Amino acid sequence: MSEPKKLFIKTYGCQMNVYDSERMAEAMGAEGYVTTEVVEDADMVLLNTCHIREKASEKLFSDLGRLRPLKDARPDLKIGVAGCVAQAEGAEIQRRMPLVDIVVGPQAYHRLPALVRAKGPQVDTDFPPEDKFDHLPERRALRGPTAFLTVQEGCDKFCAFCVVPYTRGAEVSRPVARILSEARDLVSRGVREITLLGQNVNGYHGEGVGGAWTLGRLIRALADVDGLDRIRYMTSHPNDMDDDLIAAHGDVPQLMPYLHLPVQSGSDAVLKAMNRKHTRDQYLRLIDRFRSVRPDLLLSSDFIVGFPGESDADFFDTLDLIRQVGFGQAFTFKYSARPGTPAAEKAPVEAAVADERLQVLQTLITEQQRAGQQAMVGRDVGVLYEKSGRQPGQMVGKSDHLHAVHVDDPVGKVGELVRVRVLASGSNSLSAVRIS
Ligand code: SAH
Ligand code: SF4
Ligand code: F3S
C-alpha cells in the first residue's frame, strides 16, 4: 500500500473556523489524506483564514510568502486558502500569490476534494444552494471530550464595522434533526461537552418538529441526549435573546454558567453609529435578567475602542458599563477599518488615542478577570479533564465557568468530569485538588 497523503491545516480566526477546519480535514480524509502537524511533510497545505481585522488578513500573505521555498522545492505541493479572506478576495489571492492552487470559501468547502483533484488553479467562492453539511463525511477529527458544533451560520446584522455578513452570507440555521444526530454521534465517540456555534447563534431558527425551533428549545432537546454533560453556545447577539433562552440558564443543569455576549461599546452614540440597534441600558437590563435566573453566571464580551467618532466621553461610558457589569473575561480590540464596510468611510480616531484606550480597557478587564478568578478560591466546581498537565500527577481542564484549572490528581483521566476544590488563582488559571 502506498503511504497516505498528508494534509497540514492552519486555522486563523474564530471557533467557526476551527469547526470548518475539522470538517475539511474529514472531507480530505475521505480522499485518503491524514493530517500532519509538520508543514514540511505535507502534500497539501490549507490555510483557513480570517478577515475580521486588517492584521488578521495580512497574516495570510506573510504565511504564504513563507511557504514559497517549500513550493519551489516541491511544485506538486498543493496550497489552498479557505475561510473568510478566500471569500472576500477570491481569485485576487492567486493574482497576488500565484503559488496558491485553490481558493475555497466557507460555504463551498464540501467541494474541496473536487478542487484538489482538478488540474490548474481553482476558485470556488459560491454560496451554493445545497447544504454543505449534507455532503460532508461523518465527524472524525475530534479533540477529546469537548467539541464544537456549528448550528447557525452567517449574519444579517450588518454592524457598521464588520465584514462577517459579506464573508459568511445571510443567516442560515441547520435543521434540528441533523444537529441532534451530529451531537449523538459526537457523544458516542466520547464527547461530553458541546459548544454550539454560530455567528449569531441565538438567532437560531432551524426546522424542527412543529416548525422553526429557537436556540432555547434546541438546548433543551440536547440536554436529553444521554452522556452529554455540558452545553455551551457562542456567539450571541443582545437583540436575539428571548425569554426561553434566558430561562434555560436557570433550569437546564447541563447549560454551563457562562455567557459570551458582545456589547462593543458602552456609549449610546457609538452603539448607534455601529448599527448595533440597542442601547447601553437595554444591554444592562438584559444582563440583570440573566443574573436573576443564574446569579453566578460568568459574563464575557467583546469591545472595540477607537471606532470612528468615539470621544473620550464615549470611551468613559464603556469603562463605566464594564464597572457596572463586572465581566469574568473579555476580548478587547482596536478598531480596524475594513474595506467595503460603512464605518471605513469615516475619519478614524487618532492611532495613539486608540492605543491608549485599548491599554486602559485591557487593564480594567484584567483586574476584573483576576477578581473573578480570586472569588473562586475555596469553592467547589466541576472540571472536565481535557489533557494531562505539565507537572506529574496533574490534569488540566475547564471549570463550569470556563476557567482553566490545573488539578492535582495522579489518577485522573482525560474525559473525566470531576468535582474539585479551588486552592489558588494564578494569572490565567486556577489550581485545585480533586474531591470526588
Ligand atoms: N457575531 C459576533 C462577533 C463576530 S466578530 C458578534 O456580533 O458579537 C468578533 C469580534 O471581533 C466582534 O465582536 C468585534 O468586537 C470584533 N470586530 C469585528 N469587526 C471588527 C473591526 N473591524 N475592527 C475591530 N474589531 C472588530
Ligand atoms: Fe459582525 Fe455584527 Fe454580525 Fe457580529 S452581529 S457578525 S459583529 S455584523
Ligand atoms: Fe474571522 Fe470569518 Fe470568523 S472573518 S472571526 S474567521 S467568521
Side-chain angles (χ1 to χ4, degrees), residues 33-234:
Y33 280 77
V34 296
T35 53
T36 175
E37 307 286 310
V38 186
V39 66
E40 289 80 10
D41 289 350
D43 299 285
M44 177 172 170
V45 174
L46 189 60
L47 304 176
N48 193 13
T49 60
C50 175
H51 197 53
I52 202 83
R53 285 167 289 273
E54 189 180 2
K55 265 208 195 114
S57 256
E58 281 306 312
K59 190 104 190 36
L60 166 66
F61 292 99
S62 60
D63 282 353
L64 284 172
R66 251 177 279 135
L67 287 173
R68 192 169 284 138
L70 274 186
K71 179 83 172 177
D72 287 345
R74 286 194 290 123
D76 59 338
L77 172 70
K78 287 264 185 197
I79 298 185
V81 175
C84 291
V85 181
Q87 190 62 43
E89 304 204 358
E92 184 56 33
I93 296 173
Q94 286 167 330
R95 269 193 288 278
R96 191 163 154 193
M97 286 286 182
L99 55 73
V100 173
D101 300 289
I102 296 159
V103 175
V104 64
Q107 293 308 333
Y109 67 72
H110 56 302
R111 308 201 281 215
L112 181 61
L115 297 170
V116 175
R117 274 183 252 118
K119 299 238 176 307
Q122 304 292 320
V123 178
D124 188 346
T125 52
D126 278 0
F127 288 120
E130 77 270 12
D131 177 1
K132 66 173 178 278
F133 298 111
D134 286 351
H135 301 266
L136 288 167
E138 275 194 354
R139 304 297 319 271
R140 290 263 180 266
L142 301 181
R143 295 167 291 119
T146 66
F148 291 144
L149 203 177
T150 293
V151 303
Q152 180 278 334
E153 289 191 278
C155 182
D156 300 337
K157 301 272 189 296
F158 293 93
C159 299
F161 50 81
C162 182
V163 294
V164 170
Y166 312 99
T167 62
R168 293 278 172 162
E171 285 182 21
V172 180
S173 299
R174 295 177 66 192
V176 170
R178 300 259 171 64
I179 294 166
L180 292 178
S181 88
E182 190 171 328
R184 286 194 199 98
D185 179 53
L186 289 168
V187 169
S188 76
R189 292 162 197 271
V191 168
R192 301 186 72 172
E193 172 181 311
I194 290 179
T195 303
L196 306 174
L197 299 182
Q199 267 95 22
N200 267 300
V201 69
N202 58 333
Y204 179 79
H205 55 267
E207 257 326 285
V209 178
W213 283 31
T214 60
L215 186 68
R217 190 161 174 201
L218 180 67
I219 286 171
R220 289 173 195 281
L222 284 164
D224 287 335
V225 173
D226 247 357
L228 181 56
D229 299 307
R230 287 174 149 194
I231 302 168
R232 305 180 188 276
Y233 63 91
M234 73 185 309

